Each structure stands twice: as structure tokens, then as C-alpha cells.
Amino acid sequence: MFSITNLVSGYGQSQVIHDINLNVEKTEIVAIMGRNGMGKTTLFKTLMGVLPRRSGSIRIDGTEIGAMESYQRVENGIAYVPQGRMIFSHMTVLENIQTGLPAKARGKVPEELYALFPVLYDMRGRKGGNLSGGQQQQLAIARALATEPKVLLLDEPTEGIQPSIIKDIARSLKEIRTMRQLTIIVSEQVLSFTLDIADRFLVIDKGRFVYEDTRANVDAPTISRYLSV
Ligand SMILES: Nc1ncnc2c1ncn2[C@@H]1O[C@H](COP(=O)(O)OP(=O)(O)OP(=O)(O)O)[C@@H](O)[C@H]1O
């Protein structure tokens, strides 16, 4: 459904992503685990077109998006929740969500988004900057979902968030995956969160995948070793 083939990217003289290949099925949740600086954010930026690819292919349902502008990639069904959330702090919760809505929605937020994250309904008139970290993360996810994606990328969603909210986010993601038939790729350093949600696990090390296994066979101690070196 979503396929990455021989993807290469980097900054200036330095190559960061080395020939990455990945196929993700519809409704599958894949976790990309790795320490700081291993290339998770660079991979996601390349998938979104924030950073140009050097070579390789990125396809959604067979459509090549690798040469498109970011907004065209979004129109083709990919959405991104960046590390640090990047919500608009001077805009209200409602306005933040509306930035993700397609024109045809005419500014109306789908009920199901508020059903997934009731706190966002309660806080819809508040400025984004006044929300807690966990609420901001839910807002960033809702804003991405407003674009009606087929593939959702989440970059370290648990960073700086308290454990009870992490559990809520895990539950919402599993729910939305079923509800929307969504494919999810999540980058993380927190293994407990991904063990809760992922169907498949990969470890990225210096821009290459060095470990891959399914939920049934996952070797948590090996992944932990990669995360702690
Ligand atoms: N704008 C940039 N210019 C040059 N090099 C960069 C830039 N951003 C990241 N890098 C380098 O690319 C490599 C991968 O960084 P990246 O941010 O993708 O890692 P990460 O796995 O997402 O880690 P983190 O959790 O710290 O964001 C690192 O060596 C980093 O120093």
C-alpha cells in the first residue's frame, strides 16, 4: 500500500538515509525505533517532501509521490505529525484543526475527530499554546487526521508526555486505524509505547534498517540494546 524503495537523502555533503526499503500494508502500524541522530526525522522529512530525496521512490497505492511538493503529497494521502508537535500556539484549537481540513469541509471539523479526542472539543476556543504537552500532541494528531490521510507519520509522539496521556494516545491511534483503515508509521525511542501499538518493528541505525520483526516474534531486549548503546 505504502512503499519506499531505495530511498537516499541527506543534507549538503552528508548522506543520512542510505538506501532504505519498506513496504507497509493497509491498517498496519509500523514502529521505527532508534536513538537520537539515527535518521528518523530525516526519513520522515524526506517522505513528506520537506527535504528532497536524492534517489529512490515513494509510492502510495502505486502513485509515485517522491517528486511532488509537500502539499501534493498530502493531497495524495500522506500526513505528518512532526517531532515537537509544531502546533500554532497563537491560534485556537479549532483554528489549528481547520488548517488541516480540505476545502470541501468548509471549516467544519468531523465529529469523529472530537469523539477521538474529547478534550479538543472542550478546549476548541483556547489558544493552542495554552494546552498541556499531551493535549498539544492530540491536537497535532487531529490536525493531521483532518487531511483524511491514508498514511499517517508520527515522529516521536511520546516525547515529553506523561504516561497516562501516552496510553490515551495509543488507544486513539488503534481506534483510528480501524475506523479509517489507516496505515501508521511511528518513530520512537520508547519501547513500551510501540509494544502496545505496533504490528511490526524496525530499528534504524545510522540511516539503515538493522533489525526487523513482527509483533509475534519481537525481540524486545535486542531493540532495547540498540536504543541504549
Ligand atoms: N538540518 C540538518 N543539517 C545537517 N545535518 C542534519 C540536519 N538535521 C539532522 N542532521 C543530521 O542527520 C542525522 C540524523 O538526524 P535526525 O534528526 O534525522 O535523527 P533522529 O533519529 O530523528 O534523532 P532525533 O530524535 O534527535 O531527532 C544526524 O547526524 C544529524 O546530525
Side-chain angles (χ1 to χ4, degrees):
M1 187 272 161
F2 182 59
S3 69
I4 305 170
T5 316
N6 302 125
L7 191 67
V8 176
S9 75
Y11 308 91
Q13 297 291 312
S14 75
Q15 186 174 316
V16 174
I17 297 300
H18 304 281
D19 204 22
I20 275 199
N21 292 282
L22 178 65
N23 282 301
V24 189
E25 298 302 325
K26 197 171 182 175
T27 77
E28 192 181 16
I29 301 182
V30 169
I32 298 180
M33 313 281 311
R35 280 184 291 128
N36 286 331
M38 288 301 152
K40 303 180 296 298
T41 301
T42 304
L43 173 62
F44 282 179
K45 284 184 175 167
T46 311
L47 297 177
M48 288 310 298
V50 176
L51 186 68
R53 64 172 175 180
R54 296 208 176 143
S55 57
S57 146
I58 307 162
R59 290 197 187 88
I60 300 179
D61 282 334
T63 302
E64 175 63 52
I65 63 162
M68 292 180 182
E69 297 289 338
S70 297
Y71 76 91
Q72 295 169 311
R73 297 187 195 203
V74 172
E75 285 169 2
N76 275 275
I78 188 164
Y80 180 40
V81 179
Q83 188 171 17
R85 310 181 262 283
M86 308 294 174
I87 58 143
F88 304 112
S89 54
H90 296 291
M91 285 164 65
T92 64
V93 167
L94 173 63
E95 289 164 347
N96 266 278
I97 301 174
Q98 284 172 330
T99 63
L101 289 174
K104 67 173 192 302
R106 295 173 186 272
K108 185 168 180 341
V109 177
E111 298 282 324
E112 68 172 31
L113 282 186
Y114 285 140
L116 265 180
F117 302 112
V119 70
L120 298 181
Y121 182 76
D122 299 339
M123 302 227 168
R124 63 195 184 283
R126 295 255 195 109
K127 293 268 189 282
N130 294 336
L131 270 54
S132 71
Q135 291 162 348
Q136 289 186 355
Q137 187 60 269
Q138 295 176 66
L139 175 56
I141 296 171
R143 182 180 60 184
L145 290 172
T147 67
E148 299 177 0
K150 298 177 190 165
V151 181
L152 179 66
L153 310 178
L154 298 130
D155 196 358
E156 298 199 35
T158 70
E159 197 180 47
I161 291 176
Q162 65 189 68
S164 66
I165 308 288
I166 292 178
K167 285 214 175 68
D168 284 350
I169 290 175
R171 197 176 321 116
S172 306
L173 289 175
K174 285 190 277 192
E175 208 176 313
I176 194 86
R177 170 257 294 266
T178 311
M179 216 153 79
R180 292 256 189 110
Q181 299 282 288
L182 188 67
T183 297
I184 299 177
I185 305 178
V186 56
S187 93
E188 261 304 335
Q189 303 197 41
V190 177
L191 189 53
S192 56
F193 172 72
T194 55
L195 286 172
D196 187 2
I197 63 165
D199 303 306
R200 188 150 53 108
F201 299 79
L202 290 107
V203 173
I204 188 167
D205 194 73
K206 301 195 186 76
R208 290 185 171 86
F209 291 139
V210 293
Y211 171 92
E212 174 173 357
D213 225 327
T214 57
R215 177 179 196 81
N217 299 314
V218 66
D219 179 357
T222 296
I223 297 180
S224 296
R225 251 193 323 275
Y226 276 115
L227 295 175
S228 64
V229 175

